[in-house]
């Protein structure tokens, strides 16, 4: 399955993404080679980097590992293609403008029959590629139709809970979504190591507070520069080192994170 990574922090930080390592620790080497992408928020806008190639073959990945944009909100995705050809249009994360700001979406799972779902239709927003994930994103943005500013966080959380409930009826619906203000994460089910069964957790998370200005917070695939920080990381599977504690999402758990801290949660 695809790999997701999201980050929210109190202050902008320099991130180092080792995307190939991110995929390799949860699956046999080379199984996630159909594309990669990373979105770095800069206020309401997004610096988006995507390629329909293996991360290990990308000079752009190596550049980002050294020169990634400082950000306080980021979403990354490594693709394992299950629907649609290998192409830029089918490479996540997906980005659209809505309510005067950029929105970012990345999904892990399969959603058979989404094109026939009456609750997941779209009109204004239309897919460019052929993936069920982009269809889901367009259907999500339709739920904001008519709004000119983002609603309060609790209203967005409720809207996303309804969206997630409709999505998971079709299949595994782990996703990360950001609107420039908050990061929303929904954990459902995924194929677990050593098993063909799909079960929770679909996502895991870790929250860190760093008060030592000389100490870096480091996990595999990610390096956060020194300084006082509150940071929440959300991933498909735990990142190393092994001595750090990652909390598993309950099946159907939806959380909202802003400024590095969990601001709300609900079950679906």
């Amino acid at each position: 399955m695809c790999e997701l990574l999201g980050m929210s922090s109190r202050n902008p930080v320099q991130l180092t993404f080792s995307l190939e390592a991110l995929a390799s620790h949860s699956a046999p080497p080379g199984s996630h080679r159909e594309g990669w992408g990373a979105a770095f928020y800069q206020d309401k806008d997004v610096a988006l980097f995507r390629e329909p190639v293996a991360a290990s073959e990308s000079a752009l990945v190596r550049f980002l590992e050294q020169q990634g944009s400082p950000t306080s909100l980021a979403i990354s995705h490594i693709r394992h293609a299950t629907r649609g050809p290998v192409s830029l249009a089918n490479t996540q994360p997906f980005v659209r403008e809505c309510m005067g700001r950029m929105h970012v979406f990345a999904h892990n799972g399969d959603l058979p029959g989404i094109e026939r779902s009456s609750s997941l239709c779209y009109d204004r927003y239309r897919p460019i590629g052929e993936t069920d994930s982009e269809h889901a994103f367009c259907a999500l943005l339709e739920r904001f139709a008519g709004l000119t500013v983002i609603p309060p966080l609790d209203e967005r959380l409720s809207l996303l809970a309804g969206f997630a409930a409709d999505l998971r009826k079709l299949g595994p619906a782990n996703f990360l979504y950001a609107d420039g203000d908050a990061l929303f994460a929904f954990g459902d089910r995924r194929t677990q190591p050593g098993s063909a069964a799909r079960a929770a957790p679909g996502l895991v998370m870790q929250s860190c507070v760093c008060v030592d200005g000389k100490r870096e917070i480091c996990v595999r695939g990610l390096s956060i520069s020194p300084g006082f920080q509150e940071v929440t990381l959300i991933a498909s599977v735990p990142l190393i080192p092994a001595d750090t504690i990652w909390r598993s999402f309950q099946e159907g758990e939806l959380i909202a994170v802003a400024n590095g801290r969990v601001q709300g949660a609900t079950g679906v």
Side-chain angles (χ1 to χ4, degrees):
M1 298 182 78
C2 304
E3 297 297 323
L4 301 172
L5 175 63
M7 188 281 303
S8 171
S9 64
R10 180 185 179 93
N11 299 305
V13 295
Q14 188 79 25
L15 299 176
T16 300
F17 279 85
S18 181
L19 297 171
E20 187 71 8
L22 182 65
S24 67
H25 63 66
S26 63
S31 65
H32 296 257
R33 304 181 65 84
E34 289 90 0
W36 67 274
F40 303 87
Y41 267 94
Q42 305 291 323
D43 193 20
K44 298 179 182 180
D45 210 345
V46 167
L48 177 65
F49 305 90
R50 297 184 303 161
E51 289 182 306
V53 300
S56 60
E57 300 170 1
S58 170
L60 182 55
V61 167
R62 293 191 292 272
F63 172 80
L64 290 176
E65 288 174 348
Q66 301 297 321
Q67 303 292 334
S69 304
T71 185
S72 58
L73 181 55
I75 291 178
S76 177
H77 180 273
I78 292 182
R79 188 183 186 209
H80 175 58
T82 58
R83 181 169 173 175
V86 177
S87 67
L88 182 64
N90 291 328
T91 304
Q92 302 186 51
F94 301 116
V95 174
R96 295 286 195 283
E97 181 277 330
C98 182
M99 297 175 286
R101 58 179 62 225
M102 301 304 288
H103 296 240
V104 179
F105 183 84
H107 164 254
N108 164 282
D110 301 307
L111 303 170
I114 189 172
E115 65 278 355
R116 298 185 298 275
S117 172
S118 60
S119 62
L120 293 166
C121 299
Y122 53 77
D123 182 22
R124 175 182 174 184
Y125 298 94
R126 295 178 177 270
I128 297 172
E130 296 83 25
T131 66
D132 47 9
S133 301
E134 189 181 17
H135 181 129
F137 183 33
C138 292
L140 169 60
L141 293 181
E142 286 294 339
R143 301 192 180 204
F144 293 106
L147 300 178
T148 57
V149 296
I150 59 171
L153 190 140
D154 60 339
E155 293 182 19
R156 283 175 280 158
L157 192 64
S158 177
L159 183 149
L160 282 160
F163 168 74
D166 289 336
L167 210 61
R168 70 191 302 248
K169 293 175 184 177
L170 302 176
N174 309 292
F175 66 79
L176 299 175
Y177 160 72
D179 57 16
D181 175 69
L183 171 66
F184 298 87
F186 180 69
D188 192 18
R189 298 154 289 152
R190 63 175 278 118
T191 302
Q192 301 300 326
S195 172
R198 290 175 172 176
L203 293 173
V204 296
M205 65 176 290
Q206 180 188 80
S207 294
C208 311
V209 177
C210 181
V211 296
D212 185 351
K214 298 181 180 179
R215 177 178 176 270
E216 285 191 345
I217 302 172
C218 293
V219 294
R220 186 178 186 179
L222 188 83
S223 179
I224 300 172
S225 302
F228 176 76
Q229 277 290 358
E230 293 181 270
V231 180
T232 292
L233 304 174
I234 299 170
S236 294
V237 295
L239 307 176
I240 60 173
D243 59 353
T244 58
I245 298 174
W246 291 78
R247 182 184 75 77
S248 298
F249 276 57
Q250 298 295 314
E251 185 174 331
E253 182 178 4
L254 173 68
I255 70 165
V257 186
N259 301 315
R261 180 180 296 183
V262 174
Q263 305 289 340
T266 188
V268 174

